[in-house]
Amino acid sequence: MKFVCVSEEETKSLGEKFGAGLRGGSIVLLSGELGAGKTVFTKGIAKALGVKESVLSPTFTVMNEYDGEKMRLCHFDAYRLRCGDDAVEAGLADYIGEKNTVCVIEWFENIADILPARGVKQVRISYSGENEREIEISDDK
Ligand SMILES: Nc1ncnc2c1ncn2[C@@H]1O[C@H](COP(=O)(O)OP(=O)(O)O)[C@@H](O)[C@H]1O
Ligand SMILES: [Mg+2]
């Protein structure tokens, strides 16, 4: 399904609606260039999962974990990882698909070799104007 969001707030609320439909073990793959809105979308997911803390980009930590009131959120930024083994070595791969946990992965392409091909949701975000984004949501890679 395709959506157009004309502000940061709209992208966040789309993330929240999408997040409300996720179950424990869900894996969400986000794609889109730097500044597309992947982290903004994740903030919406976090809200739906009952995360009270503010969600910050895990650019340097690779993963941030939040204990939401409904579910745990693991927010990955694989930008600096070269392959799935890097995630395994960092002890991060174990969280992926874990029950009661939603994993949201930015730059998932870098660790695609350890991600399941099925049972994942993909969200593609692209620029369509300064404050406008096209967001396509589909199942599986
Ligand atoms: N419609 C929109 N949806 C999401 N972000 C938007 C939108 N319009 C402008 N922005 C801006 O784009 C940036 C997106 O940043 P961020 O979510 O960190 O990107 P990414 O994680 O994809 O690198 C923010 O500065 C946000 O304010
Ligand atoms: Mg980001």
Side-chain angles (χ1 to χ4, degrees):
M1 266 199 288
K2 252 190 191 164
F3 302 86
V4 175
C5 294
V6 298
S7 66
E8 176 173 348
E9 291 68 34
E10 256 190 49
T11 297
K12 191 176 165 191
S13 79
L14 181 64
E16 187 180 351
K17 280 192 204 108
F18 169 78
L22 296 173
R23 288 169 294 148
S26 290
I27 301 168
V28 180
L29 310 179
L30 294 182
S31 56
E33 55 191 288
L34 211 64
K38 302 181 292 299
T39 296
V40 167
F41 191 85
T42 306
K43 287 175 197 271
I45 295 176
K47 197 169 174 205
L49 302 184
V51 173
K52 300 293 178 211
E53 300 146 82
S54 45
V55 169
L56 302 173
S57 177
T59 309
F60 297 102
T61 49
V62 186
M63 188 194 79
N64 288 338
E65 192 184 338
Y66 304 92
D67 271 315
E69 282 170 358
K70 297 202 185 95
M71 258 182 281
R72 176 165 69 167
L73 170 66
C74 288
H75 180 201
F76 290 74
D77 186 334
Y79 187 70
R80 283 142 45 93
L81 302 181
R82 289 158 304 172
C83 59
D85 263 355
D86 284 353
V88 173
E89 271 168 36
L92 300 175
D94 298 339
Y95 291 94
I96 298 168
E98 178 84 334
K99 65 172 172 10
N100 205 38
T101 300
V102 167
C103 282
V104 175
I105 310 177
E106 299 188 33
W107 300 101
F108 76 90
E109 297 87 343
N110 291 350
I111 59 165
D113 55 317
I114 59 156
L115 299 174
R118 303 203 149 269
V120 297
K121 295 195 183 294
Q122 191 164 345
V123 179
R124 295 185 189 82
I125 307 179
S126 51
Y127 288 84
S128 43
E130 196 186 342
N131 292 313
E132 191 181 290
R133 306 290 188 268
E134 257 180 37
I135 303 183
E136 193 182 355
I137 299 177
S138 55
D139 286 329
D140 298 331
K141 265 198 272 187

